[in-house]
Amino acid sequence: MHAVLITLLVIVSIALIIVVLLQSSKSAGLSGAISGGAEQLFGKQKARGLDLILHRITVVLSALFFVLTISLAYIL
């Protein structure tokens, strides 16, 4: 059971890293962080297409990561 959880955790971790790296950047650099950060945060820009799919996969993988990590800590 311990080896299975560790293997699943490694697979989910690698998949999470890959999915996060595939997502497009949502920041405009340092100037966007200083001047227009609030505009982007509260704006009505919604993710569509591939960005939406990658965002949902990221949420699912991160939740799975936390569940696996907590269950592995509980078993140990």
Side-chain angles (χ1 to χ4, degrees):
M1 183 73 173
H2 179 70
V4 172
L5 284 178
I6 289 178
T7 306
L8 284 173
L9 187 63
V10 168
I11 291 170
V12 168
S13 300
I14 292 171
L16 186 61
I17 290 169
I18 291 171
V19 169
V20 168
L21 289 176
L22 285 175
Q23 290 180 5
S24 62
S25 175
K26 292 180 177 58
S27 67
L30 185 59
S31 63
I34 294 172
S35 62
E39 191 175 300
Q40 184 179 12
L41 181 64
F42 298 112
K44 294 185 178 182
Q45 296 177 347
K46 292 188 177 183
R48 294 188 181 159
L50 184 61
D51 284 334
L52 179 64
I53 293 169
L54 290 174
H55 177 71
R56 289 182 180 167
I57 292 172
T58 303
V59 170
V60 169
L61 285 175
S62 61
L64 189 59
F65 176 81
F66 282 115
V67 168
L68 285 172
T69 305
I70 291 171
S71 63
L72 189 62
Y74 182 74
I75 288 175
L76 288 178

